[in-house]
Amino acid sequence: MPQTLAAPVHSDLLIKKSRFIGCVQPMADRAGALEVVARLKAEHPGAAHVCWALLAGGQSAANDDGEPGGTAGRPMLDVLRHQELEGVLATVVRYFGGVKLGAGGLVRAYTDAVAQALLGAEKVLLQRMTALRCTVPYALEGRMRRELEAAGALLGEVSHGAQVELNFQLPETRAAALKARLDEAGQGRVGWLAPA
């Protein structure tokens, strides 16, 4: 089952006089990843390279930032894949120390910077959420709210019209059981709507 990270974690390696500052952090999309990379470039103007790898569904990417092709971003991405992570950005800032590492040395250095950071990372299971909408008579609103809270559902927008419309989310694996429970508690007066 895929996992993500609870919080950013850093590593700092010195390899043949070059400094590799690694970071792994939760990241939902490419736009957010590019903002982080731009900020790192601004914070480290003397760095030779700011390489990165993003594993976020259809927005996954890797960038060598001037290092020889395939020696930085792709190996970093492979580490994330090997750990079965999702929604994670890995960045490595390199300060060149004057000694060339060669292609194999670069691959090892970038891989190690990400792997070292991941050693201290807290991983959390990713749960696919599903959104549900239903209508209930006003008399049932309090009971439905209590059922949703007891099930750990995240209550969203509630609108009051002819009936009360409840919008909520919960892990996909628990949706069918909760719908059955709400149908039972509502005694046939719960109307299910297509998600907005």
Side-chain angles (χ1 to χ4, degrees):
M1 196 163 205
Q3 297 177 312
T4 191
L5 304 178
V9 183
H10 300 271
S11 67
D12 199 333
L13 303 175
L14 197 60
I15 301 170
K16 292 187 180 177
K17 299 184 183 177
S18 282
R19 184 176 178 205
F20 294 84
I21 304 166
C23 179
V24 289
Q25 63 193 59
M27 185 62 54
D29 56 29
R30 190 177 181 131
L34 293 175
E35 285 176 23
V36 169
V37 171
R39 190 174 65 243
L40 284 172
K41 286 184 178 194
E43 290 172 5
H44 298 275
H49 308 280
V50 178
C51 303
W52 58 275
L54 173 68
L55 200 54
Q59 299 188 39
S60 298
N63 188 303
D64 294 322
D65 190 36
E67 291 283 26
T71 61
R74 178 70 52 196
M76 293 164 60
L77 190 63
D78 289 343
V79 173
L80 299 180
R81 282 194 177 118
H82 181 72
Q83 298 269 336
E84 295 183 30
L85 294 169
E86 177 63 33
V88 175
L89 171 66
T91 56
V92 178
V93 176
R94 179 186 182 195
Y95 284 90
F96 183 59
V99 178
K100 293 194 176 207
L101 301 179
L106 287 172
V107 169
R108 278 189 300 280
Y110 282 100
T111 300
D112 288 351
V114 173
Q116 287 294 318
L118 285 170
L119 287 177
E122 179 187 345
K123 296 174 185 168
V124 291
L125 279 178
L126 267 180
Q127 294 191 41
R128 182 167 270 128
M129 301 292 278
T130 190
L132 296 173
R133 291 173 56 206
C134 68
T135 58
V136 296
Y138 279 83
L140 286 177
E141 180 181 3
R143 182 161 187 192
M144 291 296 121
R145 285 178 178 262
R146 287 189 296 277
E147 291 287 348
L148 292 174
E149 186 178 334
L154 303 172
L155 184 60
E157 185 181 339
V158 176
S159 51
H160 297 85
Q163 290 198 319
V164 179
E165 182 181 315
L166 302 162
N167 290 275
F168 54 96
Q169 289 188 342
L170 74 159
E172 203 173 66
T173 56
R174 299 200 318 247
L178 178 61
K179 279 180 82 170
R181 176 74 192 117
L182 294 179
D183 284 339
E184 181 183 312
Q187 299 169 339
R189 294 181 290 172
V190 176
W192 292 100
L193 306 170

